Amino acid sequence: MQCSYYDAGLCRSCTLLEQPYPDQLADKDARSRSLLDDPTIAWLPPVASAPSGYRNKAKMVVGGTVDAPTLGILDGRGRGVDLRGCALCTPGIQAAMPALAAFVTLAGLAPYDVPARSGELKYVLVTEAPNGELMLRFVLRSEASIPVIRANLDALHRALPRVAVVTANLLPEHKAVVEGDREVVLTTRDTLTMTLGGIDLHLRPQSFFQTNTDIAERLYAQAREWADEIGPRSVWDLYCGVGGFALHLAAPGRSVIGVEASVEAIESARRSAGDLGLTEVRFESGDATRFAMSAGDAPDLVVVNPPRRGIGAELAGHFERSGPRHIVYSSCNPVSLAKDLAMMPSYAVRRARVLDMFPQTLHLEVITLLERR
């Protein structure tokens, strides 16, 4: 993939850009196999992504001035570097960037100056659904700019008819985070519909969703294929997010429980289950480890899709002592996956597969099927 920003030294986030994509994929597969280090694992062929245009969410730092805003990153001195043409983003997100920059000027939204700690607009977060609809989130220093955004929503919709959800996120603190806790919805709709595998997942502003829509669909399909082979009567989906795994694993006569710390994500998952009429699928808000350790008998199958740190010693130890027959472990960090597996020697990795969720970078997703020995 050719990138003028990379060539000019403006952005070096894509650390593998100079490596041919087939070699990137092969190296990720080899690295994952080496970390798990078990010749008995049946490795499926790695799943390739489109090398560019795959990111369904852009997190753009707003810099520059009201009349000449930048959307991208900050340089070492806190000045805006414009990356609105980033080729990793979906074509729909790329196409929306000029209109978003123009809206910053139209609404008079002063970009936040990090060194001076002045200004209002810190980030613009854009998510594109498979049907082309967009969610826009303006991360603001205070409520002062909300009225002017409301007043110009019609102009925003004229410029970007595909915008379905607009929110203001409030981040008053001066700290290195992307968003604050408070979200103000400015449109009638408050969710973006992400349709994967024929299932509508309702994405709320602060809910996690996989970055690569096509690979996420393949990921859920792989888990469903393994589950259907196993035929569990009961399933837990821990760290379930908006319910991607749980809803794809639902089947007649199969009880599924999804657990997630985010209340917003659980609300989305419940809505999806209701839309589908799934009476044997339910979702609970809470800590995954606490749920597993207090729930009593283990189910036939547990699905875990934890953050990069992995499931950790406490949950791994619980599974080792009293866990289910099978675990599907989907990991965005094979290093923490290997550490967790080392704490569960009673489980053997029967199958594994690398899915390239993040081309041009070292990051990846690996899904494994574990079986108690």
Side-chain angles (χ1 to χ4, degrees), residues 4 37 40 100 112 124 136 139 173 187 206 235 285-286 292 299 313 352 357:
S4 59
D37 192 25
T40 69
L100 289 174
Y112 184 67
V124 173
L136 304 181
V139 181
E173 301 88 356
T187 48
Q206 293 185 314
V235 177
S285 175
M357 193 76 73

Side-chain angles (χ1 to χ4, degrees), residues 17 25 38 47 72 117 140 151 158-159 166 173 175 192 195 198 205 264 271 297 343-344 364:
L17 193 66
L25 186 62
D38 183 347
V47 178
R117 301 194 179 192
L140 305 171
R158 285 194 296 272
V166 180
E173 301 88 356
K175 59 183 181 181
L192 191 67
T195 304
E264 277 213 343
R271 178 175 172 182
D297 293 340
M343 292 184 283
M344 298 188 290
L364 59 96

Side-chain angles (χ1 to χ4, degrees), residues 80 147 161 169 228-229 300 319 333:
N169 178 274
D228 288 346
E229 290 177 9
D300 299 328
F319 287 154
N333 183 1

